[in-house]
Amino acid sequence: MPQPPAAALALPLLLLLLLLVVRTPPPTGARPPPGPDYLRRGWLRLLAEGEGCAPCRQEECAAPRGCLAGRVRDACGCCWECANLEGQLCDLDPSAHFYGRCGEQLECRLDAGGDLSRGEVPEPLCVCRSQRPLCGSDGRTYAQICRLQEAARARPDANLTVAHPGPCESAPQILLHPYDVWNVTGQDVIFGCEVFAYPMASIEWRKDGLDIQLPGDDPHISVQFRGGPQRFEVTGWLQIQAVRPSDEGTYRCLARNALGQVEAPASLTVLTPDQLNSTGIPQLSSLHLAPEEEAESEEGEDYY
C-alpha cells in the first residue's frame, strides 16, 4: 500500500497546532505573554480576520497612540487607527484602503507638482483643506489649521487652541543676519538680512553709528528687497561694488514695524593687494566665505 507523502501529512498537523496555540487557554499560573495587552488583542483580531473582515469586537482592537492627524476607522470600520498626515500618500478612492485615509481637516488630492514631461506620475497626497495662516494661543503663527492641530496633539498638556484667524502680530525677528566679510579692493561685497514680522517689516541699511540710510547718493552702493522666502518674511541685500578702503566699517541691518525694531551688525574689512600678499593667504575666495560655508569647505563631502 503506498504511503502518503510527508508534505501531505505536515500541513494538517501544522493547522492543528496553530488552532491549539490560538484557542487553548493558558494553564493556571502561566506567565502572561510579553508586550502590552492591547497589542496582543490586536494580533488575535488580525489572525481571526485574515484577508476579510471578522465580526467587530472592539475589545480586541489595538489602541493607536501618537496620532498627530487624528484617528480614522480601519478598512473594516471597526477599530481606530492613526490617520495620515499632510504630505503622506493616501487613497483617492474612499472604498480603498491601501495607503490609508487622511486625518481631520485633510483631503486626498493628486500632487501635480512633478514634472510630467519627464514621466513623473502624480501621486495622491493628503493636503490641508485650508491654507490660511492663524495665530495659536501660544503666540506662534501657524501656516494653516492642520499644522496647529499637529502641534496641539504633540503637546496635549499645552491646551493649544486658535487665538484668532491670521498671523500673530509680532515685532521683527531677524532670521538670517549679515555675516562679517573681508575682501580686497576692487572686489564686490554683498550683505544679506532675512526678517520675519507681522505686520511686514521694513529693512534699512546704515553704516557705523550714522543715521544716514544707505545707499544715499553713493553710486557704488545699492540695496534690494523682496518678500520671502517664507510668508510674512522680507529679505534685503546691501551690495558694494568695487570696494575701497573707505568702505571699511560696520554695517547694520535695521528692521522695524509698528510693534518694534531690531538690528544686526556685520563688519567689512578691506585689504589692498599688498596687504593680502603680506598675509600669505594663497586664495582670495577663502576670504569672504560665510561661517557655514567655511565649515562645509573644511568638512568636504562628508559634511552631511
Side-chain angles (χ1 to χ4, degrees):
M1 180 176 179
Q3 296 294 325
L9 293 175
L11 183 59
L13 289 175
L14 181 61
L15 292 175
L16 179 60
L17 179 61
L18 180 61
L19 289 173
L20 289 174
V21 170
V22 173
R23 299 181 180 275
T24 303
T28 305
R31 191 171 186 177
D37 186 56
Y38 74 89
L39 287 179
R40 182 167 57 89
R41 292 199 308 271
W43 279 109
L44 288 174
R45 173 184 160 275
L46 290 174
L47 183 60
E49 197 172 271
E51 295 184 358
C53 292
C56 180
R57 298 184 180 90
Q58 294 189 352
E59 66 275 6
E60 296 181 354
C61 294
R65 298 176 182 176
C67 301
L68 298 184
R71 302 183 303 170
V72 293
R73 293 291 185 181
D74 61 10
C76 295
C78 178
C79 298
W80 290 108
E81 62 183 11
C82 286
N84 291 0
L85 290 163
E86 184 176 23
Q88 287 186 319
L89 292 171
C90 53
D91 297 307
L92 280 174
D93 182 359
S95 63
H97 199 87
F98 184 77
Y99 294 117
R101 298 185 176 95
C102 301
E104 186 180 354
Q105 301 288 346
L106 295 161
E107 62 183 4
C108 191
R109 300 180 195 168
L110 277 179
D111 178 26
D115 189 349
L116 300 181
S117 63
R118 296 186 177 182
E120 295 183 13
V121 179
E123 293 181 319
L125 300 177
C126 293
V127 179
C128 193
R129 292 191 177 96
S130 171
Q131 295 299 320
R132 296 181 178 178
L134 43 83
C135 180
S137 56
D138 57 354
R140 294 180 55 190
T141 297
Y142 293 86
Q144 20 90 338
I145 184 63
C146 301
R147 296 299 184 189
L148 184 140
Q149 289 180 335
E150 289 179 21
R153 293 186 178 105
R155 298 179 284 121
D157 296 338
N159 297 319
L160 180 61
T161 58
V162 177
H164 60 76
C168 304
E169 291 189 349
S170 78
Q173 306 168 35
I174 295 182
L175 305 181
L176 183 64
H177 58 83
Y179 295 108
D180 295 342
V181 175
W182 37 311
N183 214 323
V184 177
T185 54
Q187 299 294 320
D188 294 346
V189 167
I190 297 178
F191 291 105
C193 189
E194 184 180 309
V195 179
F196 169 85
Y198 187 81
M200 293 283 286
S202 63
I203 295 180
E204 300 174 2
W205 291 94
R206 304 179 188 275
K207 183 183 177 184
D208 297 324
L210 303 177
D211 288 331
I212 301 175
Q213 185 174 341
L214 298 174
D217 57 358
D218 195 329
H220 84 301
I221 296 179
S222 60
V223 295
Q224 296 180 13
F225 306 96
R226 71 166 176 83
Q230 303 297 326
R231 299 177 74 177
F232 314 112
E233 292 181 6
V234 61
T235 302
W237 294 273
L238 172 73
Q239 181 176 11
I240 307 174
Q241 295 178 314
V243 293
R244 47 203 185 208
S246 60
D247 294 321
E248 187 169 284
T250 300
Y251 293 82
R252 293 178 292 140
C253 166
L254 191 150
R256 66 176 73 189
N257 67 1
L259 301 177
Q261 70 177 42
V262 66
E263 64 179 56
S267 65
L268 170 62
T269 302
V270 180
L271 302 176
T272 64
D274 291 339
Q275 290 173 324
L276 177 64
N277 293 333
S278 66
T279 62
I281 299 177
Q283 293 183 357
L284 175 63
S285 60
S286 63
L287 296 177
H288 50 271
L289 291 176
E292 288 81 3
E293 295 172 328
E294 289 177 351
E296 184 173 353
S297 64
E298 291 173 1
E299 296 284 348
E301 296 181 354
D302 296 330
Y303 181 67
Y304 270 101

